[in-house]
C-alpha cells in the first residue's frame, strides 16, 4: 500500500480523443505465469504497537470466514470487509460502484465517477495495467479538481475497502481494506498490488472456472467510512507537525538517551505549584551554566514561551553530566529524588523553603506491636514517593494492600521486647499521611532468580483515574478531608531492560484532556491511550499460534505489551486548585525573559539576560529563515592574493583554517540569480578596487588532491547558478580566486593572458612561494605570468628582481610586492644570491626543477606553485641546523606534512595562564626530541617531565606515558587499537608534571593514594605516596607520619585498612607487601580510636559500612566498631553517633542492620530495645548452640557479617563511590 506518486502526469489521468489505443492485453501480459492472490506493494510488516501511525491493511485472504458474501450485497460486504473500529465515532458513510467496460482500452491511469461523502467528492483511481508492477493498482482519492482544491487545513480520517468483482457472478471478488488520513498533500491512498493481471483474465479465478474480467468488463466498489478524530492525530504521519500550534505546548529535544529525563521534567513542569516554587528560587546573581536551579528555571521558562521544542543541554550541563551520561538511561526514581534534594537545598532561606516538602512528602510508620503485652516499637519517617510491587498484584489497590501487609513474628522469629522478653508480635508499615502530589513508582524492573538477571515485568497492572487512599491510612489519621486522588500523569516505558523508550501522558488541567509528551512531539491522547493501553499484559485478540507482536526497540516477538506504566502521578482532588494553579509570565523571574516592569527592565542582570534571550531567539529565527531560503542562495568561497601571502603551508590556502585569520578564504552567500558581474563588484568593494580591475578564476580539484585556479569566468552576464553548474563539480563547493591588477590602459584592465598574439600560446599563471631558512617560514609571495618557452633558469633573475635584490646584495627584502603583469626574464644580475627552485606538485611530492628545461617541458600549467629558497653557505646551514631548523625546502615541507599543534597543560591546574601552552611539533619526533622541546619551553630538565594522555570526551587525564626513546610523538598521541575500538584519546593534547626525580627513578616507584582520616570517619584527606614497588605497608606509615606531622607515639596507634566497594576487606599488617594491594582497592589510614584501644577482653569489633536502601548501594567511609556484650542498642547508637560524627536529626534518620557480604542477602534491621547479645544472636545464632562463648568471640572477626548504616547517600557528587546518577 502506498500513495500514488505525485510526479505522475495529471494529463494522462483521462483518455484523450487523439490518444492511440492501448496495446493488446495479451501483448501486455506476455509470458506472465499464473500466480497467487493479490499482494500489496509493501511487505506485510509485523505490528509494532497497539496504536498504528500508518494505515492498517487486512488482506481478504487473511480473513477466515465460513460465509463468502456476494459483492452486490453491499451491507453484507461492508460487514465482512469493513468492520467498525472500536472506540471511534463514525461521522459519514458511503458506497459507490464503478462499472468498467472495454478494460484493455483504458488509459494508463483512469478515474471513476465522483461520489460524495462528508461534504467532499471522492472517486476510485485505477491503473489498469499496474503502477510499474504486473498488478492492477487501485486507490481511493479525494475528488477535488485543480480548480476546486480543498482547504489547506482540511483532512479526513477514512477507513475504506476497495472491491473488484465480476459483472456476471458477484461471488467472484477480491477486496482490500486500509485506513488513511487524507489531507491536501496526501489526496490518494490504496494498493499498488491489488490484483495480479494474469489471474484477472485467466479462465479460473480461485478455482471457480470463471474469470474476474469477463468480456473486458468488471465492477469496482468503494466502501467509505469517515471517523471523528478524537485526538487530532488519528493516523497522522507527523510530517511538518507543529506541537505548539496543535496543542499549545512544546516538547523537549532528546540528546541521545534522555527521553527518561524529558518525561520526568514534563511531569514536574505541569505540576504547576512545583514550577512556581522553582521560579521563586533567587538566581538573578547566579545566571551561569553550573547553577542547576537557574538552568531548570530557564528550561521551564522556555517551555512556557517557546514556539519550538526546547533543548535540555543547559540543564544537563548544570548537572555536571558529560557525554557518556547523556547516552545512558538512568533510574527515574533516583533522578527525581536527587533533583528534589538539590532544589530543596537551594530553596532554604527563601520564600520557597519547604515548598517541595509540603507538596511531595508524606509520612509512614514502621512498627512492631506485641500481641499479648502492651508494647510497641515504631518510628515515623518521611517519604517522597512510594515503591509498589507489580509482580503478583493485578491493580494499584492490591499493591497498597501488599505494601501494608502485616507480618506475624512468632515461633523462632519472636520479637524481643525490652522488659517483656521474647513476644509474639505484628510487624508492618502503615501510612500516616499522603502528600498533595503522590508519586507512585511501579517496580517494573526486578531481579529474576531463574534467569539470574534483571528483567522487565510486563504483567497486566491496572490503575484507576480516581484513587481512594483512605483505606491505607492509620486509624488515628484525620480523614475529615477526603483522600481522593485524581490521576495527573502516567510515565511509560516501552521496550525491555536493554532497549526502550520513555514518554509520558499528562493532564495539564483538572478538567482538560490527557496529552502524550514524546520528546519533542506533543499530541492529544484519549483516556484509553493514557490508562488501559499502559496496563501491560497480553495483547487483546491474540489468536492461537500467533507468534506475537514485534517490539519496536528489541526487534523480538512477544505476546505481552512492551509499553507499560512505571510511574504514576496523582493529585489530591481537594488540593487540585493549589497544585494546578495558573502560572503565567508574571510568575517567572524577570531576569529569565523580557518581562517589563513599567517602562523599563529592572536591574542590569535583567537587561543582560533579556538581551541574551532575544539574541538566541533572533539567531534561531535567522537559522530558520536560512533553511527556508537555502534553495535561493549559493555559498561561494573566494581566495585573494592577500590570503595566499598570509598562508603558511601547502597549496594556495588552507580551506579549514580559522575564519578569523587573514589566511582564511572569505565565504559569501549570494543569490543564485545574480550575475558574475554583480558578484565581481561585490569582491572589488572588499578589495577597495574598481570592478574592472578584478577578475574571477574558477578553482578546480585536481587529481593530486590540490585545489588550483583553472580558468577565468568568461561571461560577466552569466548567472552564478549557471557558472556553478558549468564549472564546479556537483558534490564540491564553488570556489573562486579573485585576481586583481593595477595595469590599466584607457580605463580597461590589461590581463596578460587575455589577448595572446596570433600563433603564440598564452602565458602561464604561476604562483610563487618563498622558503626563508633563517626565519623558518614558508609563505606565498605572489603570482607571475611566464611564457611556456621560458627556461627554468631564466626564472631566477625574474624572482631576484621581484625580491628587490641589487647586484652584490645578500639580504632579502620582503617588503616588495610582485607584479601581476607579463614579465620577460631579464638578464642575470651578477652578485645576487643564487636560488633553488622546486615545484610543489602535491603535499608529499616536492621536486627540484631542472635549470635547462623549459616550463612546457617541466609540464608547468596555470595555477602551479613554484617554491624558491636562497642558496645557503655551509656556515649558515650549520648554524640553522644546530638550532633544530631546516635548511632545505623539501625538509621543511616534510615537517609541515607531519606538523601537529600540541596543547600542553599542567596535570594539576594552576592559576598561571602561562603554564598552558602549545607547541608546533613533528609527528616523527622521538620521545626524547619532543620532551626536550617541552623542557626548553618550561626551562626544566626533560628527564623530570612526565606526560599524561587526555580523555577526548571529558578532557581529564587518562594514562601516564612511559618513556620510550623509540616511540614517536605520533605513537604517543595515537595508540594502536583495534579497527573497531575507539581509544577515546585526544590526538593533540598532553598533560605534564614536573617531578622531583627523574623518570628512570620514578619507574622503580608506585603511586598509592591513601585516604587519611584525621578526625575519625568524619573527614578524609587524600595523600599520594610514591612508595617502592617492592616496599611494605610500613613505608606508607612512614610517609603518612611525615605528611600528617605525627609523633612517634601517635604512629604506634596508626593502622591502614583496605576497602573495596566502600566495605572493609581486611586490616593490613605493617610488614604486608605492597604488591599484595590491588590497584582498585581503596586504602584508609586512621589512629585507632581510644575506645578500641581501651576495650575489655569480652569486647569485640565488627566491620561497619554505609548503604542506601540496598546493601549493594554502598557509599561513605567504612570503619571498625567496638561491640560491647550486654549493651542496649540504644547506648550502642550513642557511641555510633560519636564514631561517625553524624548527629541530631540526620542521625535519627539512620537505620541499622546486620548484613552479609553476599550481594543478594537481605539485611536484618535492628531496633533500640535489642541488646548487643541479641545483636550477636542475629549474627551467630547457630554458633551459640555448639560453641563456647570465648570461641564465639574469636570467630566474630572471621565472619562475613557486618553492621550496615542505612541512610541517603549525600555524596553522589563522587559517582566512583557507588552511584550512577549525580547532579552537581
Amino acid at each position: 500500500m502506498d500513495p500514488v506518486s505525485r510526479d505522475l502526469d495529471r494529463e494522462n489521468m483521462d483518455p484523450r480523443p487523439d490518444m492511440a489505443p492501448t496495446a493488446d492485453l495479451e501483448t501486455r501480459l506476455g509470458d506472465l505465469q499464473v500466480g497467487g492472490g493479490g499482494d500489496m506493494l509493501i511487505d506485510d510488516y509485523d505490528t509494532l504497537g497497539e496504536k498504528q501511525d500508518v494505515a492498517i491493511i487486512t488482506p481478504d485472504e487473511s480473513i477466515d470466514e465460513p460465509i463468502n458474501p456476494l459483492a452486490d450485497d453491499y451491507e453484507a460486504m461492508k460487514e465482512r470487509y469493513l468492520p467498525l473500529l472500536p472506540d471511534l465515532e463514525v461521522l459519514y458513510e458511503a458506497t459507490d460502484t464503478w462499472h468498467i467496460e472495454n478494460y484493455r482500452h483504458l488509459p494508463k491511469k483512469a478515474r471513476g465517477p465522483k461520489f460524495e461523502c462528508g461534504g467532499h467528492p471522492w472517486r476510485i483511481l485505477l491503473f489498469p495495467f499496474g503502477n510499474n508492477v504486473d498488478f492492477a493498482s487501485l486507490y481511493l482519492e479525494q475528488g477535488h479538481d485543480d480548480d476546486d482544491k480543498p482547504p489547506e487545513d482540511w483532512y479526513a480520517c477514512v477507513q475504506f475497502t476497495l472491491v473488484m468483482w465480476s459483472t456476471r457472478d458477484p461471488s467472484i471478488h477480491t477486496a482490500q481494506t486500509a485506513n488513511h488520513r487524507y489531507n491536501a498533500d496526501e489526496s490518494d491512498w490504496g494498493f499498488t498490488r491489488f490484483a495480479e493481471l494474469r489471474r484477472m483474465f485467466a479462465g479460473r479465478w480461485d478455482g471457480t472456472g470463471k474469470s474476474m474480467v469477463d468480456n473486458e468488463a468488471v465492477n469496482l466498489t468503494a466502501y467509505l467510512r469517515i471517523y471523528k478524530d478524537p485526538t487530532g492525530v488519528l493516523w497522522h504521519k507527523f510530517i511538518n507537525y507543529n506541537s505548539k500550534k496543535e496543542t499549545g505546548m512544546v516538547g523537549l529535544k532528546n540528546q541521545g538517551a534522555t527521553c527518561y529525563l524529558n518525561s520526568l521534567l514534563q511531569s514536574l513542569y505541569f505540576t504547576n505549584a512545583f514550577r512556581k516554587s522553582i521560579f521563586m528560587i533567587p538566581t538573578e546573581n547566579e545566571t551561569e551554566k553550573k547553577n542547576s536551579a537557574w538552568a531548570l528555571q530557564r528550561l521551564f521558562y522556555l517551555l512556557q514561551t517557546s514556539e519550538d521544542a526546547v533543548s535540555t543541554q543547559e540543564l544537563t550541563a548544570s548537572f555536571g553530566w558529560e557525554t557518556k551520561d547523556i547516552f545512558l538511561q538512568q533510574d527515574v526514581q533516583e533522578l527525581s529524588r536527587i533533583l528534589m534534594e538539590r532544589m530543596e537545598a537551594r530553596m532554604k532561606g527563601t520564600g520557597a523553603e519547604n515548598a517541595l516538602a509540603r507538596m511531595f512528602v508524606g509520612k509512614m510508620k514502621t512498627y512492631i506491636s506485641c500481641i499479648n503485652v502492651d508494647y510497641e516499637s515504631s518510628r515515623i519517617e518521611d517519604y517522597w514517593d512510594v515503591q509498589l510491587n507489580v509482580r503478583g498484584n493485578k491493580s494499584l489497590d492490591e499493591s497498597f494492600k501488599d505494601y501494608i501487609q502485616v507480618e506475624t513474628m512468632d515461633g523462632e522469629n519472636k520479637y524481643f521486647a525490652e522488659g517483656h522478653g521474647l513476644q509474639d508480635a505484628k510487624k508492618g508499615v502503615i501510612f500516616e499521611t499522603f502528600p498533595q502530589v503522590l508519586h507512585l513508582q511501579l517496580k517494573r524492573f526486578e531481579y529474576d532468580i531463574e534467569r539470574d538477571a534483571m528483567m522487565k515485568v510486563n504483567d497486566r497492572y491496572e490503575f484507576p483515574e480516581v484513587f481512594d487512599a483512605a483505606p491505607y491510612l492509620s486509624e488515628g489519621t484525620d480523614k475529615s478531608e477526603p483522600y481522593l486522588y485524581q490521576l495527573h500523569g502516567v510515565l511509560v516505558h516501552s521496550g525491555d531492560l536493554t532497549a526502550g523508550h520513555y514518554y509520558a501522558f499528562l493532564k495539564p488541567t483538572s478538567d482538560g484532556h490527557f496529552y502524550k509528551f514524546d520528546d519533542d512531539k506533543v499530541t492529544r491522547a484519549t483516556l484509553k491511550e493514557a490508562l488501559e493501553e499502559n496496563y501491560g499484559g497480553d495483547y487483546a485478540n491474540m489468536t492461537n499460534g500467533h507468534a506475537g507482536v514485534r517490539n519496536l526497540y528489541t526487534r523480538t516477538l512477544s505476546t505481552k505489551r512492551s509499553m507499560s506504566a512505571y510511574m504514576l502521578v496523582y493529585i489530591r482532588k481537594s488540593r487540585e486548585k493549589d497544585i494546578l494553579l495558573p502560572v503565567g509570565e508574571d510568575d517567572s523571574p524577570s531576569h529569565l525573559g523580557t518581562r517589563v516592569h513599567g517602562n523599563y527592565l529592572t536591574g542590569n542582570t535583567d537587561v543582560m539576560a533579556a538581551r541574551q534571550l532575544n539574541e538566541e531567539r533572533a539567531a534561531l529565527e535567522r537559522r530558520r529563515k536560512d533553511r527556508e531560503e537555502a534553495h535561493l542562495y549559493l555559498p561561494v568561497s573566494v581566495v585573494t592574493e592577500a590570503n595566499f601571502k598570509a598562508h603558511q603551508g601547502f597549496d594556495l590556502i588552507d580551506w579549514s583554517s580559522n575564519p578569523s585569520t587573514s589566511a582564511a578564504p572569505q565565504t559569501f552567500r549570494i543569490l543564485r540569480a545574480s550575475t558574475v558581474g554583480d558578484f565581481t563588484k561585490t569582491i572589488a568593494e572588499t578589495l577597495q578596487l574598481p570592478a574592472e580591475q578584478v577578475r574571477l578564476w574558477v578553482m578546480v580539484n585536481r587529481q593530486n588532491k590540490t585545489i588550483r585556479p583553472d580558468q577565468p569566468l568568461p561571461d560577466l552576464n552569466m548567472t552564478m547558478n549557471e557558472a556553478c553548474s558549468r564549472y564546479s563539480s556537483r558534490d564540491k563547493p564553488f570556489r573562486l580566486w579573485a585576481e586583481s591588477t593595477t595595469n590599466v590602459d584607457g580605463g580597461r584592465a590589461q590581463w596578460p593572458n587575455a589577448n595572446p598574439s596570433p600563433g603564440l600560446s598564452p602565458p602561464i599563471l604561476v604562483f610563487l612561494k618563498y622558503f626563508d631558512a633563517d626565519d623558518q617560514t614558508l609563505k606565498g609571495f605572489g603570482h607571475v605570468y611566464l611564457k611556456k618557452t621560458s627556461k627554468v633558469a631564466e626564472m631566477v633573475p625574474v624572482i631576484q628582481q621581484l625580491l628587490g635584490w641589487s647586484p652584490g646584495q645578500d639580504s632579502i627584502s620582503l617588503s616588495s610586492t610582485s607584479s601581476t603583469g607579463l614579465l620577460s626574464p631579464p638578464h642575470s644580475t651578477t652578485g645576487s644570491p643564487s636560488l633553488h627552485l622546486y615545484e610543489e606538485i602535491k603535499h608529499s611530492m616536492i621536486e627540484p626543477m631542472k635549470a635547462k628545461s623549459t616550463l612546457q617541458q617541466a609540464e608547468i600549467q596555470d595555477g602551479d606553485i613554484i617554491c624558491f629558497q636562497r642558496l645557503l653557505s655551509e656556515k649558515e646551514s650549520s648554524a640553522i641546523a644546530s638550532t633544530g631548523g631546516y635548511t632545505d625546502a623539501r625538509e621543511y615541507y616534510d615537517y609541515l606534512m607531519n606538523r601537529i599543534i600540541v596543547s600542553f597543560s599542567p596535570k594539576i591546574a594552576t592559576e598561571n595562564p602561562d603554564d598552558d601552552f602549545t607547541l608546533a611539533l613533528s609527528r616523527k619526533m622521538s620521545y626524547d626530541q619532543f620532551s626536550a622541546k617541552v623542557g626548553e619551553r618550561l626551562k626544566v630538565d626533560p628527564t623530570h617531565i612526565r606526560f599524561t594522555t587526555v580523555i577526548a570526551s571529558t578532557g581529564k587525564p587518562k594514562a601516564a606515558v612511559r618513556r620510550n626513546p623509540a616511540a614517536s610523538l605520533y605513537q604517543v598521541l595515537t595508540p594502536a587499537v583495534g579497527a573497531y575500538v575507539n581509544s577515546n584519546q585526544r590526538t593533540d593534547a598532553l598533560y605534564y608534571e614536573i617531578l622531583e626525580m627523574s623518570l628512570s627513578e620514578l619507574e622503580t616507584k608506585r603511586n598509592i593514594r591513601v585516604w587519611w582520616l584525621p578526625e575519625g570517619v568524619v573527614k578524609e584527606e587524600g595523600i599520594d605516596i610514591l612508595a617502592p614497588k617492592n616496599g611494605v605497608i610500613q613505608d606508607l606509615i612512614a610517609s603518612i607520619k611525615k605528611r600528617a606531622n605525627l609523633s612517634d607515639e601517635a604512629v604506634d596507634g596508626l593502622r591502614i585498612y583496605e576497602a573495596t566497594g566502600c566495605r572493609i576487606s581486611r586490616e593490613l599488617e605493617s610488614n604486608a607487601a605492597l604488591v599484595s594491594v590491588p590497584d582498585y582497592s581503596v586504602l584508609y589510614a586512621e589512629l585507632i580510636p581510644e575506645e578500641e584501644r581501651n576495650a575489655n577482653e569480652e569486647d569485640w569489633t565488627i566491620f561497619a559500612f554505609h548503604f542506601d536502601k540496598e546493601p549493594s548501594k554502598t557509599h561513605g567511609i567504612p570503619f571498625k566498631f567496638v561491640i560491647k556484650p550486654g549493651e542496649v542498642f540504644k547506648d550502642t547508637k550513642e557511641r555510633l553517633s560519636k564514631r561517625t560524627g553524624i548527629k541530631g536529626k540526620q542521625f535519627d534518620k539512620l537505620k541499622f542492620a546486620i548484613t552479609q557480604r553476599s550481594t543478594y542477602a537481605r539485611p536484618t534491621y535492628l531496633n533500640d530495645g535489642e541488646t548487643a547479645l541479641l545483636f550477636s544472636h542475629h549474627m551467630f545464632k547457630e554458633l551459640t548452640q555448639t560453641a563456647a562463648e570465648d570461641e564465639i568471640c574469636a570467630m566474630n572477626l572471621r565472619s562475613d557479617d557486618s553492621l550496615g548504616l542505612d541512610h541517603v547517600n549525600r555524596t553522589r557528587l563522587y559517582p566512583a563511590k557507588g552511584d550512577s546518577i549525580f547532579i552537581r
Side-chain angles (χ1 to χ4, degrees), residues 830-846:
T830 307
S832 296
S834 301
L835 300 176
H836 285 305
L837 299 180
Y838 305 91
E839 181 187 359
E840 182 185 316
I841 301 174
K842 60 180 181 179
H843 296 178
S844 59
M845 188 178 293
I846 313 299

Side-chain angles (χ1 to χ4, degrees), residues 534-754:
N534 298 306
Y535 287 163
D538 295 328
Y539 283 99
N541 303 321
M542 190 68 68
T543 58
N544 292 334
H546 197 290
V549 176
R550 187 173 299 279
N551 187 300
L552 181 63
Y553 305 100
T554 64
R555 307 303 301 168
T556 58
L557 294 172
S558 175
T559 58
K560 286 185 177 292
R561 295 175 185 267
S562 66
M563 53 277 199
S564 52
Y566 70 93
M567 177 176 169
L568 304 175
V569 181
Y570 281 93
I571 297 177
R572 195 172 180 181
K573 294 192 71 172
S574 58
R575 305 292 179 89
E576 273 188 313
K577 291 183 179 180
D578 299 328
I579 300 300
L580 299 181
L581 75 171
V583 181
E585 181 85 5
D586 293 339
D587 295 303
S588 61
S590 58
H591 60 275
L592 293 180
T594 58
R595 182 159 57 88
V596 177
H597 298 273
N599 295 321
Y600 61 96
L601 285 166
T602 59
N604 292 333
T605 306
D606 293 354
V607 175
M608 292 174 62
R611 185 182 298 118
Q612 177 187 357
L613 192 60
N614 283 336
E615 289 175 354
E616 291 175 359
R617 287 177 171 170
L620 286 173
E621 180 62 24
R622 285 196 299 271
R623 287 195 291 270
R624 184 193 62 79
K625 188 175 180 181
D626 288 346
R627 287 194 300 269
E628 292 177 353
E629 299 178 351
H631 64 287
L632 301 176
Y633 289 87
L634 176 70
V636 181
S637 297
V638 178
V639 180
T640 64
E641 188 95 341
N643 300 141
F644 175 58
K645 290 181 178 180
H647 173 56
Q648 295 193 57
F650 297 107
D651 218 348
L652 287 183
I653 204 73
D654 180 6
W655 297 97
S656 61
S657 57
N658 190 330
S660 62
T661 62
S662 57
Q666 189 172 358
T667 301
F668 295 85
R669 185 171 177 266
I670 61 172
L671 285 169
R672 292 178 177 270
S674 61
T675 65
V676 173
D678 295 334
F679 187 53
T680 302
K681 292 178 182 178
T682 302
I683 300 300
E685 290 176 1
T686 62
L687 299 176
Q688 298 181 350
L689 291 172
E692 294 77 14
Q693 294 177 221
V694 177
R695 182 168 64 162
L696 300 179
W697 286 63
V698 178
M699 301 189 73
V700 298
N701 294 67
R702 295 184 176 180
Q703 291 184 351
N704 59 10
K705 308 297 183 183
T706 61
I707 303 173
R708 305 286 174 82
D710 182 62
Q711 59 178 311
L713 287 174
D715 185 1
L716 296 179
N717 295 320
M718 181 189 305
T719 65
M720 290 299 295
N721 187 59
E722 184 181 354
C724 178
S725 301
R726 184 176 300 180
Y727 297 108
S728 178
S729 301
R730 178 174 298 179
D731 57 341
K732 302 294 182 183
F734 195 27
R735 293 165 172 160
L736 301 174
W737 175 57
E739 179 186 14
S740 59
T741 183
T742 56
N743 188 5
V744 180
D745 185 10
R748 298 187 62 182
Q750 302 299 307
W751 304 108
N753 62 345

Side-chain angles (χ1 to χ4, degrees), residues 48 329 444-445 455-458 492-503 539 551-556 558 560-564:
L48 296 180
Q329 288 189 350
R444 285 286 182 183
F445 299 97
M455 300 293 292
K456 183 179 179 184
V457 180
N458 283 319
V492 181
H493 177 267
S494 177
D496 66 5
L497 182 71
T498 58
H501 180 60
Y502 293 85
Y503 49 91
Y539 283 99
N551 187 300
L552 181 63
Y553 305 100
T554 64
R555 307 303 301 168
T556 58
S558 175
K560 286 185 177 292
R561 295 175 185 267
S562 66
M563 53 277 199
S564 52

Side-chain angles (χ1 to χ4, degrees), residues 441-456:
Q441 305 288 343
L442 308 183
K443 296 170 71 173
R444 285 286 182 183
F445 299 97
E446 286 188 351
Y447 176 74
D448 190 314
I449 297 177
E450 295 181 358
R451 294 183 174 90
D452 190 25
M454 291 293 291
M455 300 293 292
K456 183 179 179 184

Side-chain angles (χ1 to χ4, degrees), residues 898-959:
N898 292 284
R899 180 176 62 179
I900 180 174
I901 306 299
V902 184
S903 300
F904 293 90
S905 301
K907 188 174 181 180
I908 300 176
T910 65
E911 295 181 359
N912 186 359
D914 294 335
D915 290 342
D916 296 279
F917 58 91
T918 58
L919 291 177
L921 305 172
S922 172
R923 291 183 178 88
K924 293 184 176 180
M925 281 185 171
S926 66
Y927 180 94
D928 290 340
Q929 286 175 328
F930 79 77
S931 63
K933 288 283 187 183
V934 177
E936 181 182 349
R937 171 65 174 76
L938 295 173
K939 298 180 181 179
V940 298
D941 188 343
T943 61
H944 285 60
I945 302 175
R946 180 169 64 173
F947 300 100
T948 303
T949 54
V950 183
I951 299 175
S953 59
T954 65
K956 296 180 179 179
K958 184 180 181 185

Side-chain angles (χ1 to χ4, degrees), residues 102 224 288 297 514 539 709 804 1010 1122 1130 1190:
N102 298 321
L224 178 63
E288 56 179 15
Q297 284 181 343
F514 274 96
Y539 283 99
V1010 179
V1122 176
K1130 181 178 180 181
D1190 57 340

Side-chain angles (χ1 to χ4, degrees), residues 1034-1192:
Q1034 184 60 44
D1035 296 326
L1036 301 182
I1037 295 176
S1039 297
I1040 294 171
K1041 174 188 175 184
K1042 183 178 179 181
R1043 297 279 190 90
N1045 195 22
L1046 300 176
S1047 64
D1048 294 338
E1049 182 180 354
V1051 169
D1052 292 338
L1054 188 146
R1055 68 175 169 208
I1056 296 178
Y1057 55 89
E1058 176 187 343
T1060 305
C1062 297
R1063 300 182 72 165
I1064 298 178
S1065 304
R1066 56 174 175 159
E1067 186 174 337
L1068 298 169
E1069 299 292 336
S1070 60
N1071 60 351
L1074 293 179
V1075 294
S1076 67
V1077 180
D1079 292 334
Y1080 57 79
S1081 293
V1082 179
L1083 298 184
Y1084 292 96
E1086 69 169 352
L1087 296 175
I1088 299 175
E1090 182 180 355
E1091 179 184 56
E1092 187 175 340
R1093 292 200 306 270
N1094 300 328
N1096 299 323
E1097 292 183 359
E1098 62 270 17
D1099 296 342
W1100 46 279
T1101 59
I1102 188 174
F1103 291 155
F1105 71 101
H1106 307 265
F1107 68 94
D1108 188 350
K1109 294 188 178 181
E1110 297 178 13
S1112 60
K1113 294 184 177 181
T1114 57
H1115 61 91
I1117 304 170
F1119 58 94
K1120 290 182 70 175
F1121 183 68
V1122 176
I1123 297 298
K1124 296 182 177 294
E1127 182 182 52
V1128 177
F1129 192 60
K1130 181 178 180 181
D1131 299 331
T1132 307
K1133 286 171 62 177
E1134 293 180 3
R1135 293 192 295 109
L1136 275 168
S1137 176
K1138 183 178 178 181
R1139 180 77 169 96
T1140 60
I1142 305 174
K1143 301 177 181 179
K1145 292 183 178 180
Q1146 188 176 356
F1147 187 81
D1148 293 339
K1149 295 180 180 180
L1150 266 63
K1151 291 183 284 186
F1152 303 90
I1154 303 302
T1155 69
Q1156 295 178 326
R1157 192 167 282 276
S1158 172
T1159 305
Y1160 306 112
R1162 296 180 63 85
T1164 302
Y1165 285 90
L1166 303 172
N1167 293 296
D1168 290 355
E1170 300 188 63
T1171 65
L1173 283 177
L1174 186 61
F1175 189 176
S1176 178
H1177 169 77
H1178 277 300
M1179 299 174 62
F1180 311 111
K1181 182 176 179 181
E1182 295 181 0
L1183 292 176
T1184 58
Q1185 300 172 359
T1186 59
E1189 186 173 341
D1190 57 340
E1191 292 176 332
I1192 297 172

